[in-house]
Amino acid sequence: MLVGERMAGGFAMYRDIYDTTAPLSAFVYWTIDVIAGRPYLSYRIVATLLLLSQAIMFNVTPNRHQVYAGKGYIPALLYLLMGSLTFEFDMLTPLLIGNTFLILSLPYIITISREGFENN
């Protein structure tokens, strides 16, 4: 939150602001600070929406690639449950933002593993 506030104030990341925050996370924090300001609730709302969209993307992948015998909402429910219990997924952290890209790459990992399994 402080990184976004400083960037919105005109300071440059890694030149004026000495922090180990990743560039994508700093950009997200800056965007939220420009749009909504400093309210703590805006960060929680963005984190909740991101967690919900990740759960939907995570649920679509096993259903589309027929990982389980039946299609259902159990993977999304478990993802939301575990995300709600941990602090890292309940707040807008770089880990939550980066997890989006891991979920987006999941269909490619499943495809490679199925090709290796079917080519005996």
Side-chain angles (χ1 to χ4, degrees):
M1 190 162 58
L2 295 175
V3 170
E5 181 181 353
R6 297 281 292 180
M7 287 179 68
F11 294 97
M13 191 71 183
Y14 309 120
R15 188 182 62 201
D16 301 325
I17 303 170
Y18 300 108
D19 194 28
T20 59
T21 305
L24 180 64
S25 300
F27 176 73
V28 169
Y29 298 147
W30 172 75
T31 305
I32 292 172
D33 193 69
V34 167
I35 292 173
R38 189 168 166 127
Y40 185 71
L41 185 62
S42 63
Y43 287 88
R44 298 291 295 244
I45 290 171
V46 170
T48 303
L49 292 174
L50 188 60
L51 186 68
L52 183 63
S53 66
Q54 286 177 356
I56 291 169
M57 287 187 296
F58 182 70
N59 195 47
V60 165
T61 301
N63 286 341
R64 182 176 294 159
H65 292 284
Q66 298 172 350
V67 173
Y68 303 114
K71 294 181 179 182
Y73 298 106
I74 299 296
L77 179 67
L78 290 175
Y79 188 82
L80 285 173
L81 179 70
M82 296 307 285
S84 298
L85 292 177
T86 60
F87 176 74
E88 291 291 329
F89 291 108
D90 196 30
M91 288 295 302
L92 188 62
T93 59
L95 179 66
L96 179 64
I97 297 169
N99 226 14
T100 305
F101 300 103
L102 290 175
I103 292 173
L104 288 173
S105 67
L106 195 60
Y108 301 105
I109 296 170
I110 292 172
T111 304
I112 290 172
S113 101
R114 282 194 177 263
E115 287 176 0
F117 182 70
E118 292 172 358
N119 288 336
N120 289 334

CSV table of all heavy atoms in Angstrom, one decimal, residues 52 54-64 68-82:
chain,number,residue,atom,x,y,z
A,52,LEU,N,-11.5,-14.8,-6.3
A,52,LEU,CA,-12.7,-15.4,-6.9
A,52,LEU,C,-12.4,-15.8,-8.4
A,52,LEU,O,-12.8,-16.9,-8.8
A,52,LEU,CB,-13.9,-14.5,-6.8
A,52,LEU,CG,-15.2,-15.0,-7.3
A,52,LEU,CD1,-15.6,-16.2,-6.6
A,52,LEU,CD2,-16.2,-13.9,-7.3
A,54,GLN,N,-9.5,-16.4,-9.7
A,54,GLN,CA,-8.5,-17.5,-9.7
A,54,GLN,C,-9.3,-18.8,-9.4
A,54,GLN,O,-8.9,-19.8,-10.0
A,54,GLN,CB,-7.4,-17.3,-8.6
A,54,GLN,CG,-6.4,-16.3,-9.0
A,54,GLN,CD,-5.4,-16.1,-7.9
A,54,GLN,OE1,-5.5,-16.7,-6.8
A,54,GLN,NE2,-4.5,-15.2,-8.2
A,55,ALA,N,-10.2,-18.8,-8.5
A,55,ALA,CA,-11.0,-20.0,-8.2
A,55,ALA,C,-11.8,-20.5,-9.4
A,55,ALA,O,-11.8,-21.7,-9.8
A,55,ALA,CB,-11.9,-19.8,-7.0
A,56,ILE,N,-12.3,-19.5,-10.2
A,56,ILE,CA,-13.1,-19.9,-11.4
A,56,ILE,C,-12.2,-20.4,-12.4
A,56,ILE,O,-12.5,-21.5,-13.1
A,56,ILE,CB,-13.9,-18.7,-11.9
A,56,ILE,CG1,-15.0,-18.3,-10.9
A,56,ILE,CG2,-14.4,-18.9,-13.3
A,56,ILE,CD1,-15.7,-17.0,-11.1
A,57,MET,N,-11.0,-19.8,-12.6
A,57,MET,CA,-10.1,-20.3,-13.6
A,57,MET,C,-9.5,-21.7,-13.2
A,57,MET,O,-9.4,-22.5,-14.1
A,57,MET,CB,-8.9,-19.3,-13.8
A,57,MET,CG,-9.2,-18.1,-14.5
A,57,MET,SD,-7.8,-17.0,-14.9
A,57,MET,CE,-7.2,-16.6,-13.2
A,58,PHE,N,-9.3,-21.9,-11.9
A,58,PHE,CA,-8.8,-23.1,-11.5
A,58,PHE,C,-9.9,-24.2,-11.6
A,58,PHE,O,-9.5,-25.4,-11.9
A,58,PHE,CB,-8.4,-23.0,-10.0
A,58,PHE,CG,-7.8,-24.3,-9.4
A,58,PHE,CD1,-6.6,-24.7,-9.8
A,58,PHE,CD2,-8.5,-25.0,-8.5
A,58,PHE,CE1,-6.1,-25.9,-9.3
A,58,PHE,CE2,-8.0,-26.2,-7.9
A,58,PHE,CZ,-6.8,-26.6,-8.4
A,59,ASN,N,-11.1,-23.9,-11.5
A,59,ASN,CA,-12.2,-24.9,-11.6
A,59,ASN,C,-12.4,-25.2,-13.1
A,59,ASN,O,-12.8,-26.4,-13.4
A,59,ASN,CB,-13.5,-24.4,-11.0
A,59,ASN,CG,-14.5,-25.5,-10.7
A,59,ASN,OD1,-14.1,-26.5,-10.3
A,59,ASN,ND2,-15.7,-25.2,-11.1
A,60,VAL,N,-12.3,-24.3,-14.0
A,60,VAL,CA,-12.5,-24.5,-15.4
A,60,VAL,C,-11.5,-25.5,-15.9
A,60,VAL,O,-11.8,-26.4,-16.8
A,60,VAL,CB,-12.5,-23.2,-16.2
A,60,VAL,CG1,-12.4,-23.4,-17.7
A,60,VAL,CG2,-13.8,-22.4,-15.9
A,61,THR,N,-10.2,-25.4,-15.5
A,61,THR,CA,-9.2,-26.2,-16.0
A,61,THR,C,-9.4,-27.7,-15.8
A,61,THR,O,-9.3,-28.5,-16.7
A,61,THR,CB,-7.8,-25.8,-15.4
A,61,THR,OG1,-7.6,-24.4,-15.8
A,61,THR,CG2,-6.7,-26.6,-15.9
A,62,PRO,N,-9.7,-28.2,-14.5
A,62,PRO,CA,-9.9,-29.7,-14.4
A,62,PRO,C,-11.2,-30.1,-15.1
A,62,PRO,O,-11.2,-31.3,-15.6
A,62,PRO,CB,-10.0,-29.9,-12.9
A,62,PRO,CG,-9.5,-28.6,-12.3
A,62,PRO,CD,-9.6,-27.6,-13.3
A,63,ASN,N,-12.2,-29.3,-15.2
A,63,ASN,CA,-13.4,-29.7,-15.8
A,63,ASN,C,-13.2,-29.8,-17.3
A,63,ASN,O,-13.7,-30.7,-18.0
A,63,ASN,CB,-14.5,-28.7,-15.5
A,63,ASN,CG,-15.1,-28.9,-14.1
A,63,ASN,OD1,-14.9,-29.9,-13.5
A,63,ASN,ND2,-15.7,-27.8,-13.6
A,64,ARG,N,-12.5,-28.9,-17.9
A,64,ARG,CA,-12.2,-28.9,-19.4
A,64,ARG,C,-11.3,-30.1,-19.8
A,64,ARG,O,-11.5,-30.7,-20.8
A,64,ARG,CB,-11.6,-27.6,-19.8
A,64,ARG,CG,-11.4,-27.5,-21.3
A,64,ARG,CD,-10.9,-26.2,-21.8
A,64,ARG,NE,-11.9,-25.2,-21.6
A,64,ARG,CZ,-11.7,-23.9,-21.5
A,64,ARG,NH1,-10.5,-23.4,-21.5
A,64,ARG,NH2,-12.7,-23.0,-21.3
A,68,TYR,N,-10.9,-35.1,-13.3
A,68,TYR,CA,-11.7,-36.0,-12.4
A,68,TYR,C,-12.7,-36.7,-13.2
A,68,TYR,O,-13.1,-36.3,-14.3
A,68,TYR,CB,-12.3,-35.1,-11.3
A,68,TYR,CG,-11.3,-34.4,-10.5
A,68,TYR,CD1,-11.3,-33.0,-10.6
A,68,TYR,CD2,-10.3,-35.0,-9.7
A,68,TYR,CE1,-10.3,-32.3,-9.8
A,68,TYR,CE2,-9.4,-34.3,-9.0
A,68,TYR,CZ,-9.4,-32.9,-9.1
A,68,TYR,OH,-8.5,-32.2,-8.4
A,69,ALA,N,-13.3,-37.7,-12.6
A,69,ALA,CA,-14.4,-38.5,-13.3
A,69,ALA,C,-15.6,-37.7,-13.6
A,69,ALA,O,-16.2,-37.8,-14.6
A,69,ALA,CB,-14.7,-39.7,-12.4
A,70,GLY,N,-16.0,-36.8,-12.7
A,70,GLY,CA,-17.2,-36.0,-12.9
A,70,GLY,C,-16.8,-34.5,-12.8
A,70,GLY,O,-15.8,-34.1,-12.2
A,71,LYS,N,-17.7,-33.7,-13.4
A,71,LYS,CA,-17.4,-32.3,-13.3
A,71,LYS,C,-18.2,-31.7,-12.1
A,71,LYS,O,-19.3,-32.1,-11.8
A,71,LYS,CB,-18.0,-31.6,-14.6
A,71,LYS,CG,-17.2,-32.0,-15.8
A,71,LYS,CD,-17.8,-31.3,-17.1
A,71,LYS,CE,-17.0,-31.7,-18.3
A,71,LYS,NZ,-17.4,-31.0,-19.5
A,72,GLY,N,-17.5,-30.8,-11.5
A,72,GLY,CA,-18.1,-30.2,-10.3
A,72,GLY,C,-17.4,-28.9,-9.9
A,72,GLY,O,-16.5,-28.4,-10.5
A,73,TYR,N,-17.9,-28.4,-8.7
A,73,TYR,CA,-17.3,-27.2,-8.2
A,73,TYR,C,-16.4,-27.4,-7.0
A,73,TYR,O,-16.1,-26.4,-6.3
A,73,TYR,CB,-18.4,-26.2,-7.8
A,73,TYR,CG,-19.3,-25.8,-9.0
A,73,TYR,CD1,-20.6,-26.3,-9.2
A,73,TYR,CD2,-18.8,-25.0,-10.0
A,73,TYR,CE1,-21.3,-26.0,-10.3
A,73,TYR,CE2,-19.5,-24.6,-11.1
A,73,TYR,CZ,-20.8,-25.1,-11.2
A,73,TYR,OH,-21.5,-24.8,-12.3
A,74,ILE,N,-16.1,-28.6,-6.7
A,74,ILE,CA,-15.2,-28.9,-5.5
A,74,ILE,C,-13.9,-28.3,-5.6
A,74,ILE,O,-13.4,-27.7,-4.6
A,74,ILE,CB,-15.1,-30.5,-5.3
A,74,ILE,CG1,-16.5,-31.1,-5.1
A,74,ILE,CG2,-14.2,-30.8,-4.2
A,74,ILE,CD1,-17.2,-30.6,-3.9
A,75,PRO,N,-13.1,-28.3,-6.7
A,75,PRO,CA,-11.8,-27.6,-6.7
A,75,PRO,C,-11.9,-26.1,-6.4
A,75,PRO,O,-11.1,-25.6,-5.7
A,75,PRO,CB,-11.3,-27.8,-8.2
A,75,PRO,CG,-12.0,-29.1,-8.6
A,75,PRO,CD,-13.4,-29.0,-8.0
A,76,ALA,N,-12.9,-25.4,-7.0
A,76,ALA,CA,-13.1,-24.0,-6.7
A,76,ALA,C,-13.5,-23.8,-5.2
A,76,ALA,O,-13.0,-22.8,-4.6
A,76,ALA,CB,-14.2,-23.4,-7.6
A,77,LEU,N,-14.3,-24.6,-4.7
A,77,LEU,CA,-14.7,-24.5,-3.3
A,77,LEU,C,-13.5,-24.7,-2.4
A,77,LEU,O,-13.3,-23.9,-1.4
A,77,LEU,CB,-15.8,-25.5,-3.0
A,77,LEU,CG,-16.3,-25.5,-1.5
A,77,LEU,CD1,-17.0,-24.2,-1.2
A,77,LEU,CD2,-17.2,-26.7,-1.3
A,78,LEU,N,-12.7,-25.7,-2.6
A,78,LEU,CA,-11.5,-25.9,-1.8
A,78,LEU,C,-10.5,-24.8,-2.0
A,78,LEU,O,-9.9,-24.4,-1.0
A,78,LEU,CB,-10.9,-27.3,-2.2
A,78,LEU,CG,-11.6,-28.5,-1.8
A,78,LEU,CD1,-11.0,-29.8,-2.3
A,78,LEU,CD2,-11.8,-28.5,-0.3
A,79,TYR,N,-10.4,-24.3,-3.2
A,79,TYR,CA,-9.4,-23.2,-3.4
A,79,TYR,C,-9.9,-21.9,-2.6
A,79,TYR,O,-9.1,-21.2,-2.0
A,79,TYR,CB,-9.3,-22.9,-4.9
A,79,TYR,CG,-8.2,-21.9,-5.2
A,79,TYR,CD1,-6.9,-22.3,-5.4
A,79,TYR,CD2,-8.5,-20.5,-5.4
A,79,TYR,CE1,-5.9,-21.4,-5.7
A,79,TYR,CE2,-7.6,-19.6,-5.7
A,79,TYR,CZ,-6.3,-20.0,-5.8
A,79,TYR,OH,-5.3,-19.1,-6.1
A,80,LEU,N,-11.2,-21.6,-2.7
A,80,LEU,CA,-11.7,-20.5,-2.0
A,80,LEU,C,-11.6,-20.7,-0.4
A,80,LEU,O,-11.3,-19.7,0.3
A,80,LEU,CB,-13.2,-20.2,-2.3
A,80,LEU,CG,-13.4,-19.6,-3.7
A,80,LEU,CD1,-14.9,-19.5,-4.0
A,80,LEU,CD2,-12.8,-18.2,-3.7
A,81,LEU,N,-11.8,-21.9,0.0
A,81,LEU,CA,-11.7,-22.2,1.4
A,81,LEU,C,-10.3,-22.0,1.9
A,81,LEU,O,-10.1,-21.3,2.9
A,81,LEU,CB,-12.2,-23.6,1.7
A,81,LEU,CG,-12.2,-24.0,3.2
A,81,LEU,CD1,-13.2,-23.3,4.0
A,81,LEU,CD2,-12.4,-25.5,3.3
A,82,MET,N,-9.4,-22.6,1.2
A,82,MET,CA,-8.0,-22.4,1.6
A,82,MET,C,-7.5,-21.0,1.5
A,82,MET,O,-6.7,-20.5,2.3
A,82,MET,CB,-7.1,-23.4,0.8
A,82,MET,CG,-7.4,-24.8,1.1
A,82,MET,SD,-7.4,-25.3,2.8
A,82,MET,CE,-5.6,-25.3,3.2
